[in-house]
């Protein structure tokens, strides 16, 4: 299974790896320098001891003497050997233990003895008077080993600690540096929820994220502008279309009264009138919708009794339902009062119930129920009609969407868009559930005390 790391985890990981790598490199270099320097110091001690010792050998009366005037540094063992193999002097009883190591003049030799590392230095033959001598000095590297051991200990304890610390600091740094991106994401999500007038807060420091916010804001501004122009065009076009449609309707109506028309011509004029009435409804719905979305629709919030609204809708729609032998069942809790625009609320219930009748089956039923809690109102409109397919269901609130244009010529595809807009300006939500062939339920939830914000875009 592939795990996708978040950006924060990636940044933390890279930071931790970099810090640990730098720490390892630093420790490595320090270890090398310390080891080299300490070994050099030991070698210097041995070289110094060698020259000290050689300067203290004298030749008097055909004999070699060792004058121990300046003692060598403590811890250094040595012997001075005459050419014939007899020992002139020695210091340190263990020096003989290194006899197994062959003499290599002027060369440092690493040796092991009593579980420790030692460094040996042999001189070449030195002539004193007419005698030749050879000196060997040896010193333990114990101190170097101990220092390097402490070094290792610090390293072994330090690396896990540094790793944990780097991960912690890296995570905090990543969180801090991604904070503005989180803000941008949050804001962009709210904007995609529908309000194009909102802008991403631009931070005062002019860094890359500030530039990103700026670019997004420019994009939003031009999007908002083109949406505004599109809405204005639709609104103007709908407005302009009202007069010609009214004129056509008037002429068609006057033609109907003309007795000289044949039956066929009469039926054609009636078709013109039907289409005109549909066009009139569409133009007026488009105007409502675009004005509403532009915030130019005069919304009047007042205390409204939902029961009265339901009674009104029932009275208007009962005759229409009766035409398709559909029974309307209205049931509401007593005295449901909410803060709303009465005519828009009526329009909302009307649109949903009209649809339930229009897409209901002959002899079927439509149930309109209203219930309330302390602060919300739940309105459901349910029918046992044709239903909506799962494929069409996500699109029914889109403007001009009609699932079955062949079946229904009278629809405009705007009724549910208007219902959604009305719900949203009241701060509520609308949802649809449906099963093809079995019926549809629309559920509207409205806050009782009005929208906490009036969102009209
Ligand atoms: P229309 O004027 O076409 O009814 P709407 O916006 O009111 O426009 O509805 C959009 C589409 O959603 C309709 O064309 C219809 O296909 C579907 N629809 C809406 N309400 C119902 C319902 N109660 N039952 C079945 N389909 C529905």
């Amino acid at each position: 299974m592939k795990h996708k790391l978040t950006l924060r985890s990636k940044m933390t990981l890279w930071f931790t790896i970099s810090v640990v790598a730098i720490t390892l490199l630093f420790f490595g270099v320090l270890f090398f320098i310390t080891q080299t320097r300490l070994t050099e110091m030991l070698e210097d001690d041995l070289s110094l001891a060698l020259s000290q010792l050689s300067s203290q050998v004298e030749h008097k009366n055909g004999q070699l003497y060792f004058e121990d005037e300046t003692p060598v540094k403590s811890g250094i063992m040595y012997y001075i050997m005459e050419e014939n193999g007899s020992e002139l002097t020695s210091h340190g009883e263990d020096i003989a233990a290194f006899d197994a190591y062959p003499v290599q003049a002027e060369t440092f030799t690493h040796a092991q003895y009593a579980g420790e590392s030692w460094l040996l230095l042999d001189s070449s033959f030195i002539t004193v008077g007419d005698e030749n001598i050879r000196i060997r000095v040896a010193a333990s590297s114990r101190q170097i080993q101990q220092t390097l051991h402490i070094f290792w200990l610090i390293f072994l304890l330090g690396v896990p600690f540094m790793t944990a610390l780097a991960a912690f600091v890296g995570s905090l740094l990543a969180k801090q540096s991604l904070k503005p991106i989180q803000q941008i994401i949050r804001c962009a999500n709210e904007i995609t929820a529908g309000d194009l007038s909102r802008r991403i807060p631009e931070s005062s420091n002019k860094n890359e994220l500030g530039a990103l916010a700026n670019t997004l804001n420019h994009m939003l501004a031009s999007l908002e502008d083109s949406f505004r122009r599109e809405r204005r065009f639709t609104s103007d076009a709908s407005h302009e279309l009202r007069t010609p449609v009214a004129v056509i309707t008037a002429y068609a109506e006057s033609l109907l009264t003309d007795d000289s028309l044949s039956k066929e011509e009469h039926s054609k004029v009636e078709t013109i009138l039907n289409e005109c009435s549909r066009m009139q409804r569409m133009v007026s719905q488009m105007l409502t919708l675009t004005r509403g979305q532009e915030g130019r629709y005069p919304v009047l919030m007042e205390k409204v009794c939902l029961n009265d609204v339901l009674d009104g809708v029932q009275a208007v729609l009962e005759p229409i339902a009766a035409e398709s032998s559909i029974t309307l069942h209205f049931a509401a809790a007593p005295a449901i009062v909410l803060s709303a625009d009465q005519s828009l609320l009526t329009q909302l219930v009307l649109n949903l119930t009209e649809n339930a009748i229009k897409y209901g089956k002959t002899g079927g039923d439509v149930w309109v129920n209203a219930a309330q809690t302390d602060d919300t109102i739940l309105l459901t409109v349910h029918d046992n009609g044709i239903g909506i397919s799962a494929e069409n269901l996500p699109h029914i609130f889109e403007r001009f969407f009609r699932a079955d244009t062949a079946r229904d010529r009278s629809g405009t595809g705007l009724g549910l868009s208007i219902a959604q807009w009305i719900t949203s300006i009241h701060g509520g939500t609308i949802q649809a559930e449906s099963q093809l062939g079995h019926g549809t339920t629309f559920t509207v939830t409205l806050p009782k005390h009005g929208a906490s914000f009036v969102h009209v875009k």
Side-chain angles (χ1 to χ4, degrees):
M1 198 166 61
K2 240 187 178 175
H3 286 287
K4 286 244 161 86
L5 285 179
T6 60
L7 189 55
R8 183 175 171 191
S9 316
K10 273 188 193 164
M11 283 170 79
T12 309
L13 194 67
W14 280 114
F15 182 80
T16 312
I17 290 175
S18 310
V19 171
V20 172
I22 292 170
T23 311
L24 287 180
L25 193 73
F26 177 75
F27 260 107
V29 171
L30 207 65
F31 184 83
F32 177 75
I33 292 173
T34 311
Q35 188 185 34
T36 313
R37 189 69 205 112
L38 289 174
T39 311
E40 274 172 10
M41 280 162 71
L42 193 66
E43 287 172 358
D44 288 349
D45 286 347
L46 289 179
S47 302
L48 181 70
L50 206 68
S51 68
Q52 261 180 312
L53 290 168
S54 65
S55 67
Q56 291 176 106
V57 179
E58 283 179 20
H59 186 262
K60 276 187 222 159
N61 307 325
Q63 279 251 300
L64 287 171
Y65 293 95
F66 177 69
E67 302 286 336
D68 196 2
E69 290 153 355
T70 329
V72 293
K73 195 171 175 182
S74 74
I76 294 180
M77 301 193 293
Y78 60 84
Y79 65 64
I80 302 175
M81 205 70 87
E82 293 179 37
E83 196 174 8
N84 60 15
S86 58
E87 188 181 286
L88 179 63
T89 183
S90 70
H91 172 72
E93 54 196 45
D94 296 330
I95 185 76
F98 299 110
D99 285 350
Y101 290 89
V103 171
Q104 293 186 47
E106 314 285 342
T107 308
F108 291 101
T109 309
H110 290 276
Q112 289 293 326
Y113 171 62
E116 280 180 23
S117 295
W118 292 73
L119 198 62
L120 309 180
L121 177 62
D122 291 293
S123 69
S124 45
F125 279 109
I126 304 164
T127 310
V128 182
D130 53 0
E131 298 274 355
N132 282 333
I133 55 162
R134 188 173 58 77
I135 306 172
R136 167 170 274 190
V137 284
S140 165
S141 327
R142 190 176 57 240
Q143 267 180 347
I144 299 180
Q145 299 306 325
Q146 276 174 351
T147 311
L148 294 179
H149 187 74
I150 293 173
F151 215 92
W152 266 109
L153 220 62
I154 296 174
F155 174 77
L156 287 178
L157 293 176
V159 166
F161 176 73
M162 279 305 287
T163 311
L165 190 71
F168 177 69
V169 174
S171 164
L172 281 186
L173 281 177
K175 186 181 174 190
Q176 199 58 25
S177 16
L178 291 176
K179 220 174 177 176
I181 295 190
Q182 293 295 350
Q183 268 178 358
I184 292 178
I185 292 173
R186 213 175 308 122
C187 201
N189 276 334
E190 283 167 14
I191 290 166
T192 44
D195 186 358
L196 280 176
S197 67
R198 292 203 52 183
R199 294 288 175 270
I200 295 162
E202 287 174 37
S203 71
S204 49
N205 35 348
K206 298 274 165 244
N207 54 19
E208 290 86 342
L209 293 175
L212 175 67
N214 193 280
T215 311
L216 287 175
N217 281 342
H218 276 300
M219 203 178 77
L220 282 170
S222 61
L223 265 179
E224 189 190 14
D225 191 47
S226 55
F227 271 102
R228 194 184 298 123
R229 270 185 284 139
E230 188 230 71
R231 278 200 298 261
R232 178 51 63 97
F233 171 77
T234 319
S235 150
D236 290 349
S238 322
H239 190 77
E240 291 303 317
L241 278 170
R242 281 205 306 194
T243 318
V245 174
V247 173
I248 297 171
T249 309
Y251 275 106
E253 274 168 354
S254 74
L255 263 180
L256 271 187
T257 57
D258 188 345
D259 293 337
S260 65
L261 286 187
S262 68
K263 208 174 165 197
E264 197 185 332
E265 285 165 336
H266 201 273
S267 131
K268 282 180 181 166
V269 174
E270 267 181 346
T271 308
I272 293 175
L273 266 174
N274 279 343
E275 286 303 311
C276 276
S277 121
R278 181 165 165 260
M279 204 146 152
Q280 247 162 356
R281 209 168 49 251
M282 192 187 286
V283 163
S284 121
Q285 284 181 329
M286 267 163 68
L287 212 55
T288 309
L289 207 54
T290 47
R291 283 194 176 156
Q293 285 173 335
E294 276 184 331
R296 292 196 295 133
Y297 192 95
V299 180
L300 178 70
M301 290 294 184
E302 55 188 343
K303 290 267 169 259
V304 177
C305 177
L306 184 62
N307 305 68
D308 294 345
V309 171
L310 295 181
D311 289 346
V313 171
Q314 189 172 10
V316 171
L317 293 183
E318 216 130 46
I320 301 171
E323 282 173 23
S324 313
S325 314
I326 288 176
T327 316
L328 295 184
H329 308 270
F330 275 72
I336 304 178
V337 178
L338 75 156
S339 172
D341 179 307
Q342 171 129 20
S343 70
L344 289 179
L345 192 64
T346 310
Q347 181 79 63
L348 170 69
V349 184
L350 204 67
N351 283 7
L352 296 179
T353 320
E354 250 184 340
N355 275 354
I357 297 168
K358 197 159 57 174
Y359 303 106
K361 63 169 184 236
T362 314
D365 299 87
V366 170
W367 293 267
V368 180
N369 295 324
Q372 62 180 332
T373 64
D374 279 351
D375 43 28
T376 47
I377 282 165
L378 198 72
L379 177 76
T380 52
V381 179
H382 172 67
D383 65 71
N384 52 6
I386 61 168
I388 306 163
S389 70
E391 182 196 338
N392 287 329
L393 196 61
H395 305 289
I396 56 170
F397 292 104
E398 288 168 17
R399 277 187 279 172
F400 297 110
F401 179 84
R402 292 165 67 208
D404 193 353
T405 43
R407 263 184 79 123
D408 166 47
R409 291 280 307 127
S410 65
T412 59
L414 289 171
L416 286 182
S417 306
I418 291 180
Q420 193 180 43
W421 167 68
I422 296 174
T423 320
S424 96
I425 61 162
H426 285 86
T429 56
I430 181 166
Q431 277 169 351
E433 281 168 70
S434 190
Q435 231 188 328
L436 199 60
H438 289 91
T440 307
T441 306
F442 283 90
T443 309
V444 177
T445 313
L446 295 171
K448 227 172 172 180
H449 307 292
S452 50
F453 66 97
V454 175
H455 176 74
V456 283
K457 291 278 155 180

